[in-house]
């Protein structure tokens, strides 16, 4: 075969994009309705589908092809390759050139759209055609590959029979936006890329690299039923979480959402976000709880917060004022009171920080982004998760203002005893001291004269 598809791997053809993953789940959902087994997402079949999509889109083009009279088409059908060879001949050439494992039997669905038009419901379109519908609902297949490129969509079905357990699973690749990624039933390798991603449906053997942004994996059981072990791979720290969902490995993931709480990456040593529960602050603010932990009556400060403190409106960290948050967000207060949301803090971690809600009277999201347009750009590009995450992780150390109502640099300069305590690690910031003690002591949190002129 002469065309490049036989020897050159097209970018992205060996993985599932978000669009391809959505079609994969839709096909398996339809099969489940008919009592059919789910299809395994084969990397090799995805390469075949992806190579075919790229080949037809880049070298033939659906718009131009569709306008040629059928009798005059050099490429007779969507199942032919750009050099005119049929589906099977092209598959054999690509498999040989890229060293792919071929199934015992194979079939393909294909679709194209005219440039500038919106693709209709692809699955519904295929189900309306007896030939493509029979491929989707055939009990003969055990694996599937999906490839999109430009105006083209290809799905390759295959039967590997007893070898299906050893077939490589196509990895899943997210976008730089906030993706909702549903894992497959097999051992997935998920690269979430940028943005604030949520990964669900995880099962035994899955590996998740969250990339940038504030990412969250969702598990089915209570936190106490899982074990978390930090494992070093090269220069990276991975958390291996073992429990009801099997063994799942995560890296660059900021939060794990269990059925009863949300924990952050400091629990396994990555420390990827400061928008989290603060042991030191909680212990200083709740000496009764600290004493109970010391005496062994309570296992940990964090356990107390999620089991009791969150329901008692205790503040989990200096940056989060529960009373303020509930008072300024009556919809959240109502949801907490009805049990629709467990606590104000959990809402803020999962949703509020991304919705621009303010966690306290001293941090204003809108002000911070207006004062720091570079942060706004980084959030939009999926490199930073939220304004508060940037401020706590970087901004406060760079002298950036959280709002006109609290100035970290001013507060530390005017209160050298506080600055010394922060340097010694007794407080994580001037804001932490101010919320815990300074406001009671009447200390001034910002330079009022400079603001008032």
């Amino acid at each position: 075969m002469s065309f490049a598809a036989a020897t050159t791997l097209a970018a992205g053809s060996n993985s599932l994009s978000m669009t391809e993953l959505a079609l994969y789940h839709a096909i398996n959902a339809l099969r489940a309705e008919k009592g059919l087994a789910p299809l395994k997402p084969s990397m090799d079949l995805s390469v075949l589908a992806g190579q075919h999509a790229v080949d037809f889109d880049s070298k033939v083009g659906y718009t131009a092809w569709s306008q040629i009279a059928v009798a005059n088409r050099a490429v007779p059908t969507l199942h032919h390759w750009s050099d005119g060879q049929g589906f099977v001949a092209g598959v054999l050439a690509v498999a040989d050139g890229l060293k792919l494992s071929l199934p015992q039997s194979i079939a393909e669905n294909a679709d194209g759209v005219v440039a500038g038009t919106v693709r209709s419901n692809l699955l519904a379109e295929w189900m309306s055609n007896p030939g493509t519908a029979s491929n989707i609902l055939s009990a003969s297949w055990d694996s599937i590959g999906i490839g999109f490129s430009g105006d083209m969509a290809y799905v390759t079905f295959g039967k590997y029979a007893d070898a299906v357990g050893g077939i490589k699973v196509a990895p899943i690749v997210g976008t730089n936006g906030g993706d909702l990624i549903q894992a497959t039933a097999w051992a997935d390798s998920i690269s979430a890329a940028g943005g604030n991603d949520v990964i669900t449906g995880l099962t035994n053997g899955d590996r998740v690299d969250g990339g940038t942004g504030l990412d969250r994996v969702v598990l089915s059981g209570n936190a106490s039923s899982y074990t978390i072990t930090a494992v070093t791979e090269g220069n990276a720290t991975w958390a291996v979480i073992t429990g009801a969902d099997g063994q799942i490995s995560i890296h660059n993931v900021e939060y794990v959402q269990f059925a009863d709480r949300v924990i952050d990456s400091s629990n396994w040593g990555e420390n990827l976000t400061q928008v989290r529960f603060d042991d030191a602050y909680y212990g200083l603010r709740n000496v009764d709880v600290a004493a109970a932990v010391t005496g062994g009556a309570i296992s940990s400060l964090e356990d107390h917060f999620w089991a009791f403190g969150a329901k008692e409106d205790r503040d989990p960290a200096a940056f989060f004022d529960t009373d303020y948050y509930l008072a300024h967000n009556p919809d959240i207060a109502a949801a907490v009171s009805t049990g629709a949301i467990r606590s104000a803090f959990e809402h803020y971690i999962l949703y509020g920080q991304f919705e621009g809600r303010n966690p306290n009277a001293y941090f204003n999201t809108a002000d911070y982004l207006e004062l720091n347009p570079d942060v706004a750009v980084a959030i939009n590009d999926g490199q930073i998760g939220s304004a508060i995450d940037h401020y706590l992780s970087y901004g406060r150390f760079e002298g950036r203002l959280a709002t006109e109502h609290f100035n970290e640099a001013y507060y530390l300069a005017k209160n050298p005893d506080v600055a010394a305590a922060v340097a010694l690690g007794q407080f994580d910031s001037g804001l932490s001291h101010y919320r815990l003690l300074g406001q009671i002591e009447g200390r001034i949190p910002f330079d009022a004269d400079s603001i008032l002129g």
Side-chain angles (χ1 to χ4, degrees):
M1 176 169 280
S2 60
F3 60 87
T7 57
T8 304
L9 182 67
S13 68
N14 61 344
S15 61
L16 292 176
S17 67
M18 291 296 93
T19 302
E20 292 161 354
L21 180 64
L23 180 58
Y24 168 81
H25 283 302
I27 288 174
N28 271 339
L30 191 57
R31 288 175 61 86
E33 291 177 6
K34 305 297 183 181
L36 296 168
L39 301 176
K40 185 174 185 177
S42 162
M43 180 188 293
D44 288 346
L45 291 185
S46 288
V47 169
L48 289 174
Q51 296 294 109
H52 205 169
V54 169
D55 175 63
F56 201 99
D57 184 63
S58 64
K59 297 185 177 181
V60 180
Y62 182 79
T63 300
W65 177 85
S66 65
Q67 294 171 353
I68 300 172
V70 173
N72 297 330
R73 289 173 179 168
V75 180
T77 72
L78 298 183
H79 299 291
H80 285 73
W81 297 74
S82 64
D83 65 350
Q85 291 199 65
F87 169 61
V88 173
V91 163
L92 293 174
V94 172
D96 180 63
L98 296 177
K99 308 305 179 188
L100 305 178
S101 173
L102 285 176
Q104 297 172 0
S105 55
I106 194 169
E108 179 185 68
N109 283 3
D111 183 71
V113 294
V114 174
T117 62
V118 178
R119 187 183 299 280
S120 60
N121 187 319
L122 180 59
L123 189 54
E125 181 180 324
W126 278 341
M127 289 305 297
S128 68
N129 179 290
T132 50
S134 66
N135 280 339
I136 292 170
L137 297 179
S138 173
S140 299
W141 315 126
D142 52 32
S143 300
I144 187 174
I146 301 175
F148 281 72
S149 179
D151 299 327
M152 304 306 301
Y154 283 84
V155 174
T156 307
F157 302 91
K159 181 178 180 62
Y160 285 95
D162 294 339
V164 69
I167 297 303
K168 292 176 290 187
V169 175
I172 297 168
V173 179
T175 70
N176 283 329
D179 299 314
L180 175 58
I181 302 174
Q182 181 185 352
T184 76
W186 283 268
D188 295 310
S189 174
I190 300 173
S191 297
N196 304 320
D197 307 302
V198 180
I199 302 96
T200 66
L202 294 166
T203 56
N204 189 54
D206 286 343
R207 290 171 61 87
V208 180
D209 186 336
T212 57
L214 295 176
D215 307 300
R216 165 168 49 105
V217 298
V218 181
L219 301 180
S220 62
N222 290 341
S224 61
S225 65
Y226 292 79
T227 61
I228 302 178
T229 305
V231 176
T232 300
E233 296 184 12
N235 295 323
T237 298
W238 286 74
V240 179
I241 306 173
T242 306
D245 308 283
Q247 187 176 91
I248 295 158
S249 300
I250 62 174
H251 170 57
N252 285 329
V253 173
E254 284 69 21
Y255 301 112
V256 177
Q257 181 180 353
F258 295 102
D260 62 336
R261 69 184 63 183
V262 180
I263 67 169
D264 66 88
S265 56
S266 66
N267 283 271
W268 55 90
E270 281 204 277
N271 294 308
L272 299 172
T273 179
Q274 297 299 314
V275 185
R276 66 191 193 199
F277 176 84
D278 184 342
D279 263 71
Y281 180 86
Y282 196 72
L284 288 170
R285 192 73 179 263
N286 301 281
V287 293
D288 57 328
V289 179
V293 171
T294 301
I298 298 173
S299 56
S300 72
L301 293 167
E302 189 168 13
D303 279 346
H304 178 274
F305 172 74
W306 288 108
F308 308 106
K311 300 171 186 175
E312 298 165 353
D313 291 346
R314 303 196 191 210
D315 294 341
F319 75 86
F320 191 80
D321 184 331
T322 303
D323 291 337
Y324 175 91
Y325 194 71
L326 293 175
H328 287 78
N329 297 282
D331 56 327
I332 306 308
V336 170
S337 68
T338 61
I341 298 172
R342 271 196 297 262
S343 70
F345 185 57
E346 183 166 355
H347 178 273
Y348 187 71
I349 287 180
L350 300 184
Y351 311 107
Q353 63 174 316
F354 310 120
E355 297 169 349
R357 302 189 191 231
N358 298 324
N360 59 59
Y362 309 105
F363 183 87
N364 185 289
T365 301
D367 285 353
Y368 192 71
L369 295 179
E370 183 177 353
L371 292 167
N372 301 284
D374 58 322
V375 178
V377 170
I379 291 174
N380 186 63
D381 290 344
Q383 300 305 303
I384 294 173
S386 66
I388 185 65
D389 184 59
H390 180 274
Y391 174 72
L392 294 176
S393 299
Y394 310 104
R396 59 180 170 166
F397 306 116
E398 298 167 351
R400 303 192 192 221
L401 296 180
T403 177
E404 292 184 342
H405 302 296
F406 186 86
N407 186 321
E408 180 84 10
Y410 175 87
Y411 190 73
L412 294 178
K414 289 296 183 179
N415 298 282
D417 58 325
V418 178
V422 170
L424 291 172
Q426 296 171 350
F427 297 93
D428 74 334
S429 66
L431 177 60
S432 180
H433 177 275
Y434 181 74
R435 288 228 36 234
L436 189 64
L437 300 171
Q439 58 185 327
I440 300 172
E441 298 166 349
R443 302 195 192 216
I444 306 301
F446 60 92
D447 186 354
D449 291 338
S450 67
I451 293 176
L452 297 175

